[in-house]
Amino acid sequence: MELAIHNWMRAETIETTIRRVASLGYTKLEIAGSPEHYDTKEVRKLLKEHGLTCWGSVTLMLEERNLLARNEAQRASSIQYVKDVVKMVKELDGHMVSVVPGTVGKLVPDGRPEEEWQWAVDSMKEIYAYSEAAGILLGIEPINRFETYFINRAEQALALAAAVGPNCGVCLDTFHMNIEETDMFEAIRSAKGKLVGFHVADNNRMAPGMGHLNWKKIIDTLGEVNYNSVLSVEFCAPLDRTPANPYPGSIDEKPENLTPEQEKFLVDHGSSSVTEAFYTMLTQQSYNTLSKLI
């Protein structure tokens, strides 16, 4: 099993991220689902120079991106966005794309449950046909109820994957499972044979090892279902804005390369742009906790 890390959690150049994670022992990158920001030829070169490979990407379903939107044009635009993410991963010799079907932060449905289900299935089927031709796996990712009303648990993701196609899988995330699953270990077991990605953060969305999740049991359970691929670190530190902050100086007051879209996403997740020192500590902590267990 190998360790990857996402790069959407801090606004910085891709060169900075690649240099840091390579120096800390990571072997793979799960690149942010922002294909418009990357020259894939340049990213491929950087990855090769630092001994890394691309594992995949995760869709950033912000603003109008919604595979189950009532508006047909909005759905079409969202489908094209996910296809563009698949294309980026293909060009980076990656393996998979984690797909969140609905808009992150949208909590009011567009239609009746049966309508939205069909819109989601139809959208995913079109993306699936494209990803199959590209040789890239799709993993539907459940996220918690405070971020979406659609697909919160593994069983829901598995049902949607089954409706899409035989090679469509799921991508589970320990932070979201900690909130939504009755038993996260049974949720992992239920995904045996369909698990194409696995995201890791602790119960408080800090780095693994900085909360109360049982990481040995999580890794052992992954072994039970023969998932021996990649763990993708995806912490999103909940920053303390009170005098009780145990990490003074963690908030980057003058972030560089932070787009309004990224800033909104981070703030909506109870976070903000963090300093390089704090981010490096979280990245190192993640590696220290997980590398001993894989």
Side-chain angles (χ1 to χ4, degrees):
M1 197 175 288
E2 295 183 72
L3 293 181
I5 192 167
H6 289 264
N7 71 310
W8 62 260
M9 298 95 72
R10 183 173 192 270
E12 60 185 17
T13 66
I14 190 71
E15 295 94 332
T16 300
T17 299
I18 288 173
R19 190 182 314 114
R20 178 192 299 107
V21 300
S23 71
L24 295 177
Y26 291 82
T27 57
K28 291 187 177 291
L29 179 73
E30 190 158 343
I31 194 166
S34 302
E36 71 278 10
H37 293 163
Y38 303 116
D39 178 335
T40 52
K41 290 183 180 179
E42 182 61 27
V43 175
R44 280 169 58 100
K45 180 182 176 184
L46 286 166
L47 289 170
K48 185 175 181 180
E49 287 175 354
H50 291 84
L52 297 178
T53 56
C54 175
W55 168 239
S57 185
V58 58
T59 59
L60 299 179
M61 302 303 283
L62 308 174
E63 299 178 346
E64 294 300 307
R65 294 171 184 162
N66 186 6
L67 297 177
L68 49 144
R70 176 178 291 279
N71 183 281
E72 187 174 348
Q74 185 180 354
R75 290 202 308 275
S77 175
S78 303
I79 289 167
Q80 185 58 55
Y81 160 70
V82 181
K83 287 181 178 178
D84 290 343
V85 175
V86 171
K87 179 175 181 286
M88 173 181 68
V89 171
K90 174 68 173 179
E91 291 176 355
L92 292 173
D93 297 323
H95 179 76
M96 58 80 70
V97 172
S98 168
V99 181
V100 174
T103 307
V104 176
K106 184 178 187 299
L107 301 177
V108 179
D110 272 12
R112 299 188 307 275
E114 61 272 20
E115 288 180 310
E116 291 196 309
W117 182 260
Q118 195 58 54
W119 292 330
V121 169
D122 291 345
S123 295
M124 285 297 303
K125 280 186 173 180
E126 183 174 338
I127 296 164
Y128 177 76
Y130 182 83
S131 66
E132 284 289 284
I136 301 298
L137 291 174
L138 299 180
I140 297 166
E141 181 176 2
I143 64 175
N144 73 78
R145 73 192 76 178
F146 306 109
E147 297 184 46
T148 185
Y149 60 88
F150 189 77
I151 309 296
N152 306 124
R153 306 185 312 279
E155 62 182 333
Q156 297 170 320
L158 287 164
L160 182 54
V164 172
N167 290 328
C168 187
V170 300
C171 176
L172 300 181
D173 184 306
T174 54
F175 170 73
H176 298 295
M177 285 195 290
N178 174 72
I179 296 172
E180 297 295 343
E181 302 290 353
T182 303
D183 184 332
M184 74 160 63
F185 306 105
E186 284 305 312
I188 294 170
R189 293 184 185 106
S190 75
K192 183 175 182 178
K194 302 298 290 184
L195 195 57
V196 301
F198 198 79
H199 295 167
V200 291
D202 225 305
N203 66 287
N204 50 10
R205 219 167 192 177
M206 295 289 276
M210 297 179 75
H212 65 56
L213 293 187
N214 186 337
W215 289 100
K216 184 179 187 305
K217 188 172 182 180
I218 290 169
I219 304 303
D220 288 348
T221 306
L222 288 171
E224 287 180 33
V225 300
N226 300 317
Y227 181 81
N228 299 304
S229 299
V230 171
L231 303 179
S232 292
V233 173
E234 193 186 20
F235 53 73
C236 186
L239 297 181
D240 191 336
R241 292 171 170 81
T242 76
N245 185 2
Y247 303 104
S250 56
I251 300 176
D252 190 346
E253 300 291 351
K254 296 181 179 180
E256 297 180 4
N257 304 301
L258 182 66
T259 66
E261 181 184 69
Q262 287 174 308
E263 183 176 20
K264 183 180 187 304
F265 191 72
L266 288 169
V267 171
D268 285 351
H269 284 69
S271 189
S272 180
S273 184
V274 299
T275 60
E276 183 164 7
F278 183 58
Y279 185 75
T280 298
M281 182 276 288
L282 294 168
T283 305
Q284 180 73 71
Q285 175 66 44
S286 302
Y287 182 86
N288 291 348
T289 298
L290 299 168
S291 62
K292 301 170 186 175
L293 300 172
I294 60 175

